[in-house]
Amino acid sequence: MQSLAAKLDLTAQAHQAIRDAIMAMDLAPGTPLAQEDLAERLGVSRQPVSHALVLLRREGLVVDRGRKGQMVAPIDPDRLLALYQVRGAIDRLAARLATTRLDMSDTPSKRFQRLIKDGWDACTSGEIDALVKADLAFHQAIHALSGNDEIERTAAGFWPHMVRSMRVVLEDSKGHGAIWREHEDIAEAILSGDPVKAGHLAADHAERTGELTHQRLSRP
């Protein structure tokens, strides 16, 4: 008989695999989700897939299709706008706290330099995967530097939704440079130890990104 720990591990693996596929748009919005097909694809039984889909429904990444089963949740522009508004408040706090945790070493400076370089390299390549990865890494670095674990835990809930929207919005290359210039300004304010400016820039960046995302996703 399979142990409870083994069952939970298979559920966690199935959940992560399906979640990753949704975030990568390998499972696009509106894609029907048949448990049998997913189980075969992942090489597991239906049970861990069923449990994984329950978790994904709670996260808002999977929705019902009436009597037809379940599907990947559509991208909701209004929900994204609301999430970005919440992220604005979180990013303000994270940036402010980050300025108070700079030590005498140059570790944060080197880390931000690397993150900014990765971002500009992604802009040059224009590869969506690289752009999304670099953007995510930059903001998660600020959350981690804040030293507040609750910020990272809270943010973990909205990243999957934002990553999906980013893959759509970043198809327009015209805004790539502006995004990374704003990231540079935020990093500079944090490293200079100015909590008010860092918080303002971080919040403004998130809120403006939310508005642009809502506009882009709301186009017919």
Side-chain angles (χ1 to χ4, degrees):
M1 182 180 294
Q2 192 178 41
S3 69
L4 176 60
K7 290 180 180 178
L8 291 175
D9 186 55
L10 285 174
T11 296
Q13 291 177 28
H15 170 259
Q16 189 62 55
I18 299 170
R19 193 175 191 256
D20 287 346
I22 291 173
M23 290 170 63
M25 295 291 215
D26 292 334
L27 290 173
T31 300
L33 297 172
Q35 291 184 21
E36 296 86 351
D37 294 342
L38 289 171
E40 182 178 355
R41 173 175 174 173
L42 298 176
V44 298
S45 67
R46 287 182 56 184
Q47 188 176 40
V49 170
S50 177
H51 291 320
L53 291 176
V54 170
L55 296 175
L56 290 163
R57 282 184 62 187
R58 291 176 184 170
E59 294 174 18
L61 294 172
V62 169
V63 295
D64 288 330
R65 298 174 63 218
R67 297 180 180 179
K68 297 181 179 180
Q70 300 175 87
M71 67 179 183
V72 178
I75 298 177
D76 183 344
D78 292 335
R79 182 176 189 184
L80 262 299
L81 179 61
L83 287 173
Y84 269 105
Q85 289 170 344
V86 172
R87 206 190 96 186
I90 291 174
D91 283 6
R92 181 188 298 275
L93 175 61
R96 288 175 65 95
L97 291 174
T99 64
T100 69
R101 287 173 49 82
L102 301 174
D103 54 30
M104 297 304 292
S105 74
D106 59 357
T107 300
S109 177
K110 287 183 176 179
R111 186 175 186 187
F112 276 121
Q113 287 176 9
R114 185 177 68 254
L115 291 166
I116 296 296
K117 180 182 183 303
D118 289 345
W120 283 113
D121 287 347
C123 288
T124 300
S125 73
E127 295 179 2
I128 299 299
D129 284 343
L131 286 162
V132 171
K133 182 179 179 181
D135 197 291
L136 198 61
F138 177 81
H139 292 290
Q140 288 180 333
I142 296 174
H143 292 174
L145 186 58
S146 76
N148 186 326
D149 292 340
E150 293 304 321
I151 288 177
E152 293 184 90
R153 271 192 280 269
T154 300
F158 55 60
W159 282 129
H161 299 280
M162 291 188 173
V163 166
R164 292 203 301 161
S165 70
M166 287 163 63
R167 289 186 176 278
V168 175
V169 173
L170 289 173
E171 290 177 356
D172 182 357
S173 63
K174 289 184 290 187
H176 296 174
I179 290 171
W180 282 95
R181 282 190 291 273
E182 290 179 11
H183 286 174
E184 285 183 327
D185 291 341
I186 294 168
E188 182 180 343
I190 291 173
L191 293 172
S192 69
D194 188 336
V196 175
K197 184 177 181 180
H200 171 74
L201 290 174
D204 189 60
H205 172 72
E207 291 167 4
R208 182 163 53 253
T209 300
E211 292 168 0
L212 292 173
T213 297
H214 185 269
Q215 293 173 12
R216 173 67 176 82
L217 296 176
S218 298
R219 293 176 188 169

